[in-house]
Amino acid sequence: MANITLAVSGSISAYKAADLANQLTKMSHQVTVLMTSSATEFISPLTLQSLTKNKVQTDLLLEEDPQSIKHIDIAKQTDLFLLAPASANTIAKLAHGFANDMVSAVSLALPPETPKLVAPAMNTNMYFHPATQRNIALLKEDGFVEIAPRESLLACGDIGTGALADLSVILDLVKESLNEKK
């Protein structure tokens, strides 16, 4: 079906990326997983590799093939880019054009027509902070579609908006975005 690049950033919700990757794979999509170093503290790359049957990309500077540039090749092959969960830090990096890890470099190298989804997951105060809201607005200007977080009891003990959207909502938006691309 489609080549989906699933980018996982450092959030307690990173463990949900395993179920998301598994569901996308079961839908016959080819899933390439990118992880920030913070994400690897929450979930092992091996878990996502086992589910997708693809090597998880964590190191921007690890170039195994001298004939290719990994982050450029991944960007060119991506039919849909999904950042889930999206931490405040990674949202800020993408909004301001940083390219210092695999997630941000692939994001910056994506062709403009590639559908891009971002699913924030963080503490309520972090999500509603003016800087985060400005950064999300910048991403939207750059063609990203936000998959809004839901209200829930958060890992920190607060109740509020900031929990990763339900996987069914994310999967529906993936399907919708791929249908629009056709």
Side-chain angles (χ1 to χ4, degrees), residues 3 5 74-82 107 109-117 142-144 177 181:
N3 290 320
T5 297
I74 291 170
K76 287 179 180 176
Q77 296 165 7
T78 297
D79 294 318
L80 181 134
F81 181 85
L82 170 60
S107 174
L110 290 167
E113 67 275 5
T114 303
K116 298 173 279 295
L117 304 175
D142 290 344
F144 279 81
S177 297
K181 185 176 180 190

PDB file of all heavy atoms in Angstrom, residues 3 5 74-82 107 109-117 142-144 177 181:
ATOM      1  N   ASN A   3       4.061   3.806   1.800  1.00  0.00           N
ATOM      2  CA  ASN A   3       5.271   3.889   2.619  1.00  0.00           C
ATOM      3  C   ASN A   3       5.039   4.958   3.673  1.00  0.00           C
ATOM      4  O   ASN A   3       4.996   6.149   3.347  1.00  0.00           O
ATOM      5  CB  ASN A   3       6.485   4.251   1.767  1.00  0.00           C
ATOM      6  CG  ASN A   3       6.897   3.127   0.859  1.00  0.00           C
ATOM      7  OD1 ASN A   3       6.868   1.971   1.245  1.00  0.00           O
ATOM      8  ND2 ASN A   3       7.278   3.463  -0.359  1.00  0.00           N
ATOM      9  N   THR A   5       6.262   6.818   7.097  1.00  0.00           N
ATOM     10  CA  THR A   5       7.361   7.077   8.011  1.00  0.00           C
ATOM     11  C   THR A   5       6.750   7.491   9.339  1.00  0.00           C
ATOM     12  O   THR A   5       6.071   8.513   9.425  1.00  0.00           O
ATOM     13  CB  THR A   5       8.301   8.167   7.460  1.00  0.00           C
ATOM     14  OG1 THR A   5       8.872   7.685   6.243  1.00  0.00           O
ATOM     15  CG2 THR A   5       9.407   8.483   8.445  1.00  0.00           C
ATOM     16  N   ILE A  74      14.944   8.298   2.696  1.00  0.00           N
ATOM     17  CA  ILE A  74      13.695   8.042   3.433  1.00  0.00           C
ATOM     18  C   ILE A  74      12.651   9.085   3.069  1.00  0.00           C
ATOM     19  O   ILE A  74      11.493   8.762   2.803  1.00  0.00           O
ATOM     20  CB  ILE A  74      13.951   8.007   4.952  1.00  0.00           C
ATOM     21  CG1 ILE A  74      14.778   6.773   5.319  1.00  0.00           C
ATOM     22  CG2 ILE A  74      12.626   8.024   5.720  1.00  0.00           C
ATOM     23  CD1 ILE A  74      15.285   6.766   6.747  1.00  0.00           C
ATOM     24  N   ALA A  75      13.044  10.350   3.033  1.00  0.00           N
ATOM     25  CA  ALA A  75      12.102  11.428   2.703  1.00  0.00           C
ATOM     26  C   ALA A  75      11.504  11.235   1.308  1.00  0.00           C
ATOM     27  O   ALA A  75      10.304  11.401   1.110  1.00  0.00           O
ATOM     28  CB  ALA A  75      12.788  12.786   2.814  1.00  0.00           C
ATOM     29  N   LYS A  76      12.343  10.864   0.357  1.00  0.00           N
ATOM     30  CA  LYS A  76      11.864  10.667  -1.018  1.00  0.00           C
ATOM     31  C   LYS A  76      10.903   9.492  -1.127  1.00  0.00           C
ATOM     32  O   LYS A  76      10.011   9.500  -1.975  1.00  0.00           O
ATOM     33  CB  LYS A  76      13.047  10.447  -1.966  1.00  0.00           C
ATOM     34  CG  LYS A  76      13.844  11.690  -2.256  1.00  0.00           C
ATOM     35  CD  LYS A  76      15.009  11.381  -3.175  1.00  0.00           C
ATOM     36  CE  LYS A  76      15.832  12.616  -3.484  1.00  0.00           C
ATOM     37  NZ  LYS A  76      17.019  12.294  -4.313  1.00  0.00           N
ATOM     38  N   GLN A  77      11.072   8.489  -0.287  1.00  0.00           N
ATOM     39  CA  GLN A  77      10.242   7.281  -0.351  1.00  0.00           C
ATOM     40  C   GLN A  77       8.978   7.380   0.493  1.00  0.00           C
ATOM     41  O   GLN A  77       8.121   6.497   0.444  1.00  0.00           O
ATOM     42  CB  GLN A  77      11.059   6.066   0.101  1.00  0.00           C
ATOM     43  CG  GLN A  77      12.222   5.760  -0.804  1.00  0.00           C
ATOM     44  CD  GLN A  77      13.227   4.813  -0.181  1.00  0.00           C
ATOM     45  OE1 GLN A  77      13.019   4.260   0.895  1.00  0.00           O
ATOM     46  NE2 GLN A  77      14.358   4.632  -0.860  1.00  0.00           N
ATOM     47  N   THR A  78       8.828   8.440   1.254  1.00  0.00           N
ATOM     48  CA  THR A  78       7.705   8.578   2.184  1.00  0.00           C
ATOM     49  C   THR A  78       6.437   9.029   1.468  1.00  0.00           C
ATOM     50  O   THR A  78       6.418  10.067   0.810  1.00  0.00           O
ATOM     51  CB  THR A  78       8.070   9.591   3.296  1.00  0.00           C
ATOM     52  OG1 THR A  78       9.178   9.080   4.037  1.00  0.00           O
ATOM     53  CG2 THR A  78       6.904   9.843   4.230  1.00  0.00           C
ATOM     54  N   ASP A  79       5.378   8.238   1.634  1.00  0.00           N
ATOM     55  CA  ASP A  79       4.052   8.626   1.133  1.00  0.00           C
ATOM     56  C   ASP A  79       3.274   9.404   2.178  1.00  0.00           C
ATOM     57  O   ASP A  79       2.378  10.179   1.850  1.00  0.00           O
ATOM     58  CB  ASP A  79       3.247   7.384   0.732  1.00  0.00           C
ATOM     59  CG  ASP A  79       3.857   6.661  -0.449  1.00  0.00           C
ATOM     60  OD1 ASP A  79       4.286   7.336  -1.402  1.00  0.00           O
ATOM     61  OD2 ASP A  79       3.894   5.413  -0.422  1.00  0.00           O
ATOM     62  N   LEU A  80       3.591   9.173   3.463  1.00  0.00           N
ATOM     63  CA  LEU A  80       2.940   9.892   4.551  1.00  0.00           C
ATOM     64  C   LEU A  80       3.897   9.911   5.736  1.00  0.00           C
ATOM     65  O   LEU A  80       4.486   8.883   6.079  1.00  0.00           O
ATOM     66  CB  LEU A  80       1.625   9.213   4.954  1.00  0.00           C
ATOM     67  CG  LEU A  80       0.875   9.928   6.086  1.00  0.00           C
ATOM     68  CD1 LEU A  80      -0.602  10.054   5.752  1.00  0.00           C
ATOM     69  CD2 LEU A  80       1.043   9.208   7.409  1.00  0.00           C
ATOM     70  N   PHE A  81       4.041  11.085   6.355  1.00  0.00           N
ATOM     71  CA  PHE A  81       4.908  11.278   7.519  1.00  0.00           C
ATOM     72  C   PHE A  81       4.017  11.478   8.737  1.00  0.00           C
ATOM     73  O   PHE A  81       3.143  12.350   8.742  1.00  0.00           O
ATOM     74  CB  PHE A  81       5.799  12.502   7.303  1.00  0.00           C
ATOM     75  CG  PHE A  81       6.763  12.785   8.422  1.00  0.00           C
ATOM     76  CD1 PHE A  81       7.995  12.157   8.472  1.00  0.00           C
ATOM     77  CD2 PHE A  81       6.448  13.699   9.423  1.00  0.00           C
ATOM     78  CE1 PHE A  81       8.901  12.428   9.498  1.00  0.00           C
ATOM     79  CE2 PHE A  81       7.340  13.982  10.451  1.00  0.00           C
ATOM     80  CZ  PHE A  81       8.576  13.340  10.478  1.00  0.00           C
ATOM     81  N   LEU A  82       4.223  10.651   9.762  1.00  0.00           N
ATOM     82  CA  LEU A  82       3.419  10.709  10.975  1.00  0.00           C
ATOM     83  C   LEU A  82       4.342  10.832  12.183  1.00  0.00           C
ATOM     84  O   LEU A  82       5.137   9.936  12.452  1.00  0.00           O
ATOM     85  CB  LEU A  82       2.563   9.436  11.086  1.00  0.00           C
ATOM     86  CG  LEU A  82       1.821   9.195  12.398  1.00  0.00           C
ATOM     87  CD1 LEU A  82       0.841  10.324  12.703  1.00  0.00           C
ATOM     88  CD2 LEU A  82       1.104   7.840  12.332  1.00  0.00           C
ATOM     89  N   SER A 107      12.067  15.111   8.231  1.00  0.00           N
ATOM     90  CA  SER A 107      10.948  16.048   8.123  1.00  0.00           C
ATOM     91  C   SER A 107      11.288  17.222   7.206  1.00  0.00           C
ATOM     92  O   SER A 107      10.498  17.610   6.349  1.00  0.00           O
ATOM     93  CB  SER A 107      10.551  16.563   9.503  1.00  0.00           C
ATOM     94  OG  SER A 107       9.579  17.568   9.406  1.00  0.00           O
ATOM     95  N   ALA A 109      13.471  17.297   4.855  1.00  0.00           N
ATOM     96  CA  ALA A 109      13.767  16.844   3.493  1.00  0.00           C
ATOM     97  C   ALA A 109      12.538  16.334   2.731  1.00  0.00           C
ATOM     98  O   ALA A 109      12.644  16.000   1.554  1.00  0.00           O
ATOM     99  CB  ALA A 109      14.832  15.750   3.539  1.00  0.00           C
ATOM    100  N   LEU A 110      11.382  16.302   3.381  1.00  0.00           N
ATOM    101  CA  LEU A 110      10.179  15.794   2.715  1.00  0.00           C
ATOM    102  C   LEU A 110       9.763  16.693   1.551  1.00  0.00           C
ATOM    103  O   LEU A 110       9.802  17.925   1.680  1.00  0.00           O
ATOM    104  CB  LEU A 110       9.008  15.718   3.701  1.00  0.00           C
ATOM    105  CG  LEU A 110       9.090  14.667   4.785  1.00  0.00           C
ATOM    106  CD1 LEU A 110       8.023  14.928   5.847  1.00  0.00           C
ATOM    107  CD2 LEU A 110       8.954  13.265   4.214  1.00  0.00           C
ATOM    108  N   PRO A 111       9.340  16.086   0.439  1.00  0.00           N
ATOM    109  CA  PRO A 111       8.762  16.904  -0.631  1.00  0.00           C
ATOM    110  C   PRO A 111       7.529  17.649  -0.103  1.00  0.00           C
ATOM    111  O   PRO A 111       6.811  17.117   0.756  1.00  0.00           O
ATOM    112  CB  PRO A 111       8.375  15.871  -1.696  1.00  0.00           C
ATOM    113  CG  PRO A 111       9.240  14.683  -1.413  1.00  0.00           C
ATOM    114  CD  PRO A 111       9.421  14.674   0.084  1.00  0.00           C
ATOM    115  N   PRO A 112       7.272  18.855  -0.580  1.00  0.00           N
ATOM    116  CA  PRO A 112       6.166  19.662  -0.037  1.00  0.00           C
ATOM    117  C   PRO A 112       4.795  18.983  -0.129  1.00  0.00           C
ATOM    118  O   PRO A 112       3.933  19.217   0.711  1.00  0.00           O
ATOM    119  CB  PRO A 112       6.181  20.929  -0.895  1.00  0.00           C
ATOM    120  CG  PRO A 112       7.505  20.958  -1.556  1.00  0.00           C
ATOM    121  CD  PRO A 112       8.028  19.563  -1.608  1.00  0.00           C
ATOM    122  N   GLU A 113       4.597  18.131  -1.128  1.00  0.00           N
ATOM    123  CA  GLU A 113       3.285  17.504  -1.316  1.00  0.00           C
ATOM    124  C   GLU A 113       3.048  16.293  -0.406  1.00  0.00           C
ATOM    125  O   GLU A 113       1.938  15.757  -0.351  1.00  0.00           O
ATOM    126  CB  GLU A 113       3.082  17.101  -2.780  1.00  0.00           C
ATOM    127  CG  GLU A 113       3.999  16.002  -3.267  1.00  0.00           C
ATOM    128  CD  GLU A 113       5.371  16.486  -3.746  1.00  0.00           C
ATOM    129  OE1 GLU A 113       5.697  17.684  -3.631  1.00  0.00           O
ATOM    130  OE2 GLU A 113       6.128  15.632  -4.237  1.00  0.00           O
ATOM    131  N   THR A 114       4.055  15.860   0.324  1.00  0.00           N
ATOM    132  CA  THR A 114       3.899  14.708   1.212  1.00  0.00           C
ATOM    133  C   THR A 114       2.982  15.062   2.374  1.00  0.00           C
ATOM    134  O   THR A 114       3.232  16.041   3.083  1.00  0.00           O
ATOM    135  CB  THR A 114       5.266  14.264   1.770  1.00  0.00           C
ATOM    136  OG1 THR A 114       6.144  13.963   0.682  1.00  0.00           O
ATOM    137  CG2 THR A 114       5.127  13.039   2.669  1.00  0.00           C
ATOM    138  N   PRO A 115       1.918  14.266   2.607  1.00  0.00           N
ATOM    139  CA  PRO A 115       1.067  14.516   3.776  1.00  0.00           C
ATOM    140  C   PRO A 115       1.866  14.337   5.062  1.00  0.00           C
ATOM    141  O   PRO A 115       2.655  13.394   5.187  1.00  0.00           O
ATOM    142  CB  PRO A 115      -0.020  13.447   3.665  1.00  0.00           C
ATOM    143  CG  PRO A 115       0.012  12.977   2.249  1.00  0.00           C
ATOM    144  CD  PRO A 115       1.418  13.166   1.783  1.00  0.00           C
ATOM    145  N   LYS A 116       1.645  15.270   5.994  1.00  0.00           N
ATOM    146  CA  LYS A 116       2.384  15.269   7.255  1.00  0.00           C
ATOM    147  C   LYS A 116       1.397  15.425   8.418  1.00  0.00           C
ATOM    148  O   LYS A 116       0.637  16.397   8.449  1.00  0.00           O
ATOM    149  CB  LYS A 116       3.402  16.414   7.278  1.00  0.00           C
ATOM    150  CG  LYS A 116       4.471  16.320   6.198  1.00  0.00           C
ATOM    151  CD  LYS A 116       5.353  17.547   6.128  1.00  0.00           C
ATOM    152  CE  LYS A 116       4.769  18.708   5.387  1.00  0.00           C
ATOM    153  NZ  LYS A 116       4.531  18.533   3.963  1.00  0.00           N
ATOM    154  N   LEU A 117       1.430  14.465   9.339  1.00  0.00           N
ATOM    155  CA  LEU A 117       0.548  14.491  10.504  1.00  0.00           C
ATOM    156  C   LEU A 117       1.398  14.610  11.760  1.00  0.00           C
ATOM    157  O   LEU A 117       2.469  13.998  11.847  1.00  0.00           O
ATOM    158  CB  LEU A 117      -0.283  13.212  10.576  1.00  0.00           C
ATOM    159  CG  LEU A 117      -1.129  12.864   9.350  1.00  0.00           C
ATOM    160  CD1 LEU A 117      -1.791  11.500   9.530  1.00  0.00           C
ATOM    161  CD2 LEU A 117      -2.175  13.939   9.104  1.00  0.00           C
ATOM    162  N   ASP A 142       3.223  25.103   7.422  1.00  0.00           N
ATOM    163  CA  ASP A 142       4.118  24.303   6.582  1.00  0.00           C
ATOM    164  C   ASP A 142       3.450  23.038   6.046  1.00  0.00           C
ATOM    165  O   ASP A 142       4.118  22.202   5.445  1.00  0.00           O
ATOM    166  CB  ASP A 142       5.378  23.921   7.365  1.00  0.00           C
ATOM    167  CG  ASP A 142       6.284  25.119   7.614  1.00  0.00           C
ATOM    168  OD1 ASP A 142       6.113  26.163   6.956  1.00  0.00           O
ATOM    169  OD2 ASP A 142       7.187  24.997   8.479  1.00  0.00           O
ATOM    170  N   GLY A 143       2.151  22.892   6.290  1.00  0.00           N
ATOM    171  CA  GLY A 143       1.418  21.771   5.708  1.00  0.00           C
ATOM    172  C   GLY A 143       1.156  20.599   6.629  1.00  0.00           C
ATOM    173  O   GLY A 143       0.597  19.586   6.208  1.00  0.00           O
ATOM    174  N   PHE A 144       1.553  20.696   7.889  1.00  0.00           N
ATOM    175  CA  PHE A 144       1.245  19.625   8.846  1.00  0.00           C
ATOM    176  C   PHE A 144      -0.217  19.708   9.261  1.00  0.00           C
ATOM    177  O   PHE A 144      -0.789  20.795   9.337  1.00  0.00           O
ATOM    178  CB  PHE A 144       2.106  19.750  10.106  1.00  0.00           C
ATOM    179  CG  PHE A 144       3.486  19.191   9.982  1.00  0.00           C
ATOM    180  CD1 PHE A 144       4.491  19.923   9.367  1.00  0.00           C
ATOM    181  CD2 PHE A 144       3.790  17.942  10.494  1.00  0.00           C
ATOM    182  CE1 PHE A 144       5.780  19.420   9.263  1.00  0.00           C
ATOM    183  CE2 PHE A 144       5.072  17.428  10.389  1.00  0.00           C
ATOM    184  CZ  PHE A 144       6.067  18.161   9.774  1.00  0.00           C
ATOM    185  N   SER A 177      -5.773  10.916   4.882  1.00  0.00           N
ATOM    186  CA  SER A 177      -4.669  11.625   4.236  1.00  0.00           C
ATOM    187  C   SER A 177      -4.155  10.870   3.008  1.00  0.00           C
ATOM    188  O   SER A 177      -3.837  11.484   1.989  1.00  0.00           O
ATOM    189  CB  SER A 177      -3.516  11.860   5.215  1.00  0.00           C
ATOM    190  OG  SER A 177      -3.938  12.688   6.272  1.00  0.00           O
ATOM    191  N   LYS A 181      -4.325  12.009  -0.999  1.00  0.00           N
ATOM    192  CA  LYS A 181      -3.112  12.074  -1.819  1.00  0.00           C
ATOM    193  C   LYS A 181      -3.350  11.438  -3.182  1.00  0.00           C
ATOM    194  O   LYS A 181      -2.780  11.852  -4.173  1.00  0.00           O
ATOM    195  CB  LYS A 181      -1.947  11.371  -1.104  1.00  0.00           C
ATOM    196  CG  LYS A 181      -0.635  11.517  -1.839  1.00  0.00           C
ATOM    197  CD  LYS A 181       0.508  10.913  -1.112  1.00  0.00           C
ATOM    198  CE  LYS A 181       1.754  11.122  -1.963  1.00  0.00           C
ATOM    199  NZ  LYS A 181       2.885  10.403  -1.493  1.00  0.00           N
TER     200      LYS A 181
END
